[in-house]
């Protein structure tokens, strides 16, 4: 009896496995395909990356001289390889105007209860401009979340007032951290109606200005922010409607916060909002100038008379975070070899391999190197809103961001715990919108180099929020199915130690070749990958 049950189980397992294999697409890998992708080599990737991530590129901040030089390096190679420019006015560059504000430090002032405070010592301007004054009110952490019954301003009228905000945590995007019991997934839709952060909430309720009391983690680093006193903001002009609001927002030290509540009935940890028996005047005066940056855009034209009008997009962000004069140690240049020099040169190597092999898939291939990813996915957002090609003809987007590092055997560094091994790579989003794209992505790898594909971050509830953190996001919300390759964060992520000599070039070669193989297979499909799934609602809004 036991033996018969085992035999039946094995037979059932065989039948199930055979059915599963029958459902998988047959991915034919020809000798010509293998020869074409063999044009991507570890040496080539190393040569390009040692240039792109060199000190001379000064960390490729957006905007910067180093970023412009990198763009020219990419464009020079594309031109010599015979690519079609797909930027503005017959060039490889899609120019982006950035409105940069500089703060008039002499005219930026803060007065509370008749006492004047000093910029840099006592306060910093976080955002907004203008001169406003009014009575003070305490607005707790500022949040409104309707589904949770949270209304930080309950009990006070903030219209025409200066709202004092206090929280134990700080966020660059939302000023104060999420209220207790609220997750990012719950804030996917309805900003301004279903929920509002402190600045949005204060603005919509007619506040005149905002004063934020520095939480402990900012107060402990107050001296490091002294250089921020003369800085202003920067944002792409044509995306200005999505820029932070103009309401003047000042960050004050805890000492100033104590002075605000001196003699009052409540304090900064009060659980209810209340009127403060003091008034404040805020003046933030800025001057605006226009500076320029660019995406780099090119097309490798397809061979089919009809299908060449469709495009498979492949891209990476070629910017990083620049130079930090306050970084500890002697190295102040954040070279960004892995983030995302690895993706930048991976896409460049694929372009060269296409050109040198003369391979022309049926569909055209759209290459886009995005700027401003580190500033908030600017380049990808701009390209999808103001494309230089017919964006509706883009059938898929393949995104490469950080494919250069491996976790070595015996590495016990906690910062490297999520790095993939020498044959591993995380694959994100391949099946979220298109069953066909997911099958081609998996099948191309299974039929070729057999990398260890790890899909753990496909979970819409991923607390790392990797789906939101790279350029593919704006293609996905634009209805274009995507795949994102990524080998994991590490000890040098956004640090000065992200150098070219730390890259695993053999692994990077395998990943780039596999991505190129996937690109060829998608480009040669008889029909564009069907979008047969809706993007999970948790992934539609980048808060």
């Amino acid at each position: 009896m036991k033996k018969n049950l085992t035999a039946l189980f094995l037979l059932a397992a065989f039948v199930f496995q055979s059915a599963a294999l029958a459902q998988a697409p047959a991915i034919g890998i020809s000798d010509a395909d293998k020869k074409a992708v063999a044009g991507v080599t570890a040496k080539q990737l190393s040569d390009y990356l040692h240039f792109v991530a060199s000190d001379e590129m000064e960390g490729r901040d957006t905007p910067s001289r180093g970023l412009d030089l990198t763009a020219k390096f990419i464009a020079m190679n594309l031109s010599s390889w015979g690519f079609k420019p797909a930027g503005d006015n017959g060039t490889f560059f899609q120019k982006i105007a950035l409105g940069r504000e500089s703060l008039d430090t002499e005219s930026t002032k803060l007065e509370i209860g008749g006492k004047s405070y000093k910029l840099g010592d006592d306060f910093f301007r976080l955002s907004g401009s203008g001169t406003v004054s009014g009575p003070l009110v305490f607005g707790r952490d500022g949040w409104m979340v309707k589904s949770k019954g949270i209304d930080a301003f309950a009990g006070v009228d903030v219209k025409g007032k200066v709202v004092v905000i206090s929280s134990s945590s700080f966020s660059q995007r939302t000023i104060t951290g999420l209220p207790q019991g609220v997750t990012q997934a719950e804030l996917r839709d309805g900003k301004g109606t279903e929920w509002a952060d402190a600045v949005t909430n204060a603005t919509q309720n007619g506040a005149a200005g905002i004063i934020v009391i520095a939480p402990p983690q900012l107060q402990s680093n107050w001296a490091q922010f002294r250089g921020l006193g003369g800085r202003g903001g920067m944002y792409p002009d044509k995306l200005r409607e999505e820029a932070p609001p103009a309401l003047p927002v000042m960050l004050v030290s805890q000492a100033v916060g104590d002075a605000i509540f001196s003699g009052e009935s409540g304090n900064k940890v009060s659980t209810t909002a209340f009127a403060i028996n003091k008034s404040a005047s805020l003046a933030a005066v800025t001057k605006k100038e226009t500076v320029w940056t660019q995406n780099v855009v090119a097309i490798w034209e397809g061979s089919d008379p009809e299908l060449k009008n469709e495009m498979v997009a492949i891209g990476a962000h070629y910017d990083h975070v620049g130079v930090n004069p306050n970084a500890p140690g002697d190295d102040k240049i954040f070279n960004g070899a892995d983030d995302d020099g690895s993706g930048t040169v991976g896409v460049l190597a694929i372009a060269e391999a296409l050109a040198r092999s003369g391979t022309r898939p049926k569909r055209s291939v759209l290459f886009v190197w995005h700027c401003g990813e580190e500033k908030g996915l600017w380049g990808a957002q701009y390209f999808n809103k103001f494309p230089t090609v017919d964006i509706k003809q883009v059938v898929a987007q393949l995104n490469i961001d950080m494919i250069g590092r491996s976790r070595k055997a015996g590495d016990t560094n906690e910062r490297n715990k999520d790095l993939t091994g020498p044959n591993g790579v995380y694959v994100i989003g391949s099946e979220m919108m298109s069953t066909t794209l997911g099958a081609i992505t998996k099948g191309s790898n299974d039929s070729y180099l057999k990398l260890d594909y790890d899909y753990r971050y496909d979970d819409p509830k991923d607390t790392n929020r990797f789906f939101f953190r790279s350029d593919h996001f704006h293609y996905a919300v634009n209805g274009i199915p995507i795949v994102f390759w990524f080998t994991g964060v590490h000890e040098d992520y956004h640090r000065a130690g992200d150098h070219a000599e730390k890259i695993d070039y053999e692994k990077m070669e395998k990943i780039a070749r596999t991505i190129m193989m996937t690109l060829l297979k998608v480009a040669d499909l008889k029909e564009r990958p069907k979008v047969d799934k809706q993007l999970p609602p948790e992934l539609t809004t980048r808060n």
Side-chain angles (χ1 to χ4, degrees):
M1 181 73 171
K2 202 170 188 181
K3 186 180 288 186
N4 289 340
L5 283 173
T6 302
L8 286 171
F9 174 79
L10 290 174
L11 178 62
F14 175 77
V15 170
F16 177 80
Q17 184 181 41
S18 298
L21 289 173
Q23 294 170 3
I27 304 295
I29 305 294
S30 69
D31 290 341
D33 292 333
K34 293 178 181 178
K35 183 176 180 181
V37 301
V40 176
T41 69
K43 183 179 187 306
Q44 167 202 39
L45 293 165
S46 175
D47 287 346
Y48 289 154
L49 189 55
H50 276 85
F51 177 84
V52 167
S54 65
D55 283 354
E56 288 79 5
M57 298 304 106
E58 300 169 338
R60 308 187 309 280
D61 196 9
T62 302
S64 69
R65 175 179 60 181
L67 191 71
D68 293 346
L69 287 173
T70 305
K72 290 179 179 179
F73 171 74
I74 294 169
M76 175 191 69
N77 281 297
L78 293 171
S79 179
S80 69
W81 299 332
F83 279 77
K84 180 181 177 181
D88 302 328
N89 304 315
T91 73
F92 288 104
F93 306 122
Q94 180 189 32
K95 288 292 187 178
I96 302 174
L98 303 175
R100 181 165 65 188
E101 294 177 332
S102 58
L103 196 63
D104 183 342
T105 57
E106 294 299 319
S107 301
T108 298
K109 301 180 184 300
L110 175 66
E111 184 180 289
I112 301 173
K115 180 178 179 179
S116 295
Y117 291 94
K118 186 176 180 181
L119 179 67
D121 289 344
D122 302 312
F123 76 97
F124 297 109
R125 175 255 195 184
L126 287 179
S127 63
S129 61
T131 300
V132 301
S133 61
L136 290 172
V137 294
F138 175 60
R140 299 165 58 204
D141 65 0
W143 279 87
M144 181 276 288
V145 184
K146 191 176 292 185
S147 65
K148 299 285 187 178
I150 294 172
D151 182 3
F153 298 159
V156 297
D157 179 10
V158 305
K159 187 174 182 179
K161 313 283 199 316
V162 175
V163 183
V164 178
I165 299 296
S166 180
S167 173
S168 61
S169 61
F170 181 81
S171 165
Q172 285 186 324
R173 296 186 63 84
T174 57
I175 303 299
T176 55
L178 293 178
Q180 188 173 4
V182 177
T183 66
Q184 282 288 354
E186 293 173 293
L187 307 181
R188 59 182 181 265
D189 295 312
K191 182 177 181 179
T193 55
E194 299 302 311
W195 64 272
D197 56 62
V199 177
T200 303
N201 200 15
T203 301
Q204 291 188 334
N205 281 280
I210 300 174
I211 292 173
V212 181
I213 299 173
Q217 73 265 35
L218 291 189
Q219 185 63 52
S220 63
N221 292 298
W222 193 261
Q224 296 181 24
F225 301 147
R226 196 170 300 275
L228 296 175
R231 292 187 185 177
M234 182 170 58
Y235 211 77
D237 280 340
K238 291 177 75 172
L239 299 176
R240 181 59 60 176
E241 68 272 14
E242 299 184 27
L247 195 73
V249 182
M250 303 295 195
L251 176 74
V252 302
S253 68
Q254 290 185 6
V256 175
D258 291 340
I260 290 173
F261 291 104
S262 176
E264 301 295 330
S265 58
N267 56 40
K268 63 185 179 184
V269 296
S270 295
T271 57
T272 58
F274 60 90
I276 298 173
N277 191 31
K278 296 182 182 71
S279 294
S281 295
L282 288 65
V285 180
T286 60
K287 295 176 289 186
K288 182 183 173 183
E289 62 175 333
T290 299
V291 293
W292 293 87
T293 189
Q294 62 280 308
N295 290 324
V296 184
V297 192
I299 287 177
W300 185 250
E301 199 163 66
S303 59
D304 187 277
E306 295 297 327
L307 290 180
K308 72 178 183 180
N309 295 316
E310 295 182 345
M311 293 163 281
V312 181
I314 182 169
H317 73 90
Y318 72 108
D319 68 311
H320 193 51
V321 298
V323 179
N324 181 1
N326 296 318
D330 296 330
D331 190 356
K332 310 296 183 183
I333 301 174
F334 287 50
N335 300 107
D338 191 26
D339 185 14
D340 184 27
S342 62
T344 297
V345 304
V347 176
L348 190 64
I350 289 170
E352 184 177 14
L354 269 178
R356 297 206 183 282
S357 67
T359 301
R360 295 270 180 187
K362 294 175 182 178
R363 287 178 181 81
S364 297
V365 182
L366 175 68
F367 289 81
V368 187
W369 287 263
H370 305 96
C371 65
E373 190 266 2
E374 301 289 0
K375 293 291 196 292
L377 315 187
W378 286 353
Q381 182 181 13
Y382 196 92
F383 188 79
N384 277 272
K385 281 184 175 285
F386 310 104
T388 57
V389 301
D390 184 355
I391 199 75
K392 298 302 180 186
Q393 295 287 3
V394 175
V395 306
Q397 198 265 346
L398 314 183
N399 182 39
I400 313 177
D401 194 348
M402 297 176 62
I403 57 164
R405 297 286 282 263
S406 292
R407 188 177 185 185
K408 298 177 181 178
D411 185 351
T412 59
N413 189 326
E414 179 68 16
R415 290 181 177 273
N416 294 333
K417 66 182 177 61
D418 294 322
L419 264 179
T420 51
N423 200 55
V425 60
Y426 298 116
V427 180
I428 301 174
S430 63
E431 298 179 335
M432 282 183 182
M433 299 173 69
S434 172
T435 303
T436 299
L437 182 60
I440 294 296
T441 301
K442 184 178 187 302
S444 297
N445 177 58
D446 290 348
S447 302
Y448 182 44
L449 294 180
K450 297 179 174 59
L451 292 167
D452 298 325
Y453 272 9
D454 190 328
Y455 294 91
R456 73 181 67 179
Y457 296 127
D458 264 351
D459 182 357
K461 294 181 172 59
D462 167 33
T463 56
N464 297 283
R465 292 172 56 80
F466 286 129
F467 189 83
F468 298 93
R469 290 168 58 178
S470 194
D471 297 314
H472 61 273
F473 172 78
H474 284 292
Y475 290 85
V477 296
N478 202 14
I480 299 168
I482 64 91
V483 191
F484 169 32
W485 285 267
F486 165 64
T487 53
V489 294
H490 48 74
E491 60 188 316
D492 294 315
Y493 173 65
H494 280 199
R495 295 185 177 211
D498 189 2
H499 292 155
E501 60 268 21
K502 297 182 179 180
I503 298 296
D504 181 345
Y505 290 101
E506 298 300 324
K507 173 181 178 177
M508 192 171 155
E509 174 190 280
K510 289 189 289 184
I511 295 173
R513 286 182 176 184
T514 301
I515 295 171
M516 182 176 173
M517 188 66 76
T518 307
L519 170 71
L520 295 177
K521 296 307 158 186
V522 175
D524 275 338
L525 286 172
K526 290 181 179 179
E527 296 181 355
R528 65 189 293 165
K530 182 179 180 181
V531 178
D532 54 5
K533 303 176 188 177
Q534 286 192 334
L535 194 63
E538 298 94 330
L539 303 179
T540 58
T541 305
R542 186 175 183 264
N543 298 321

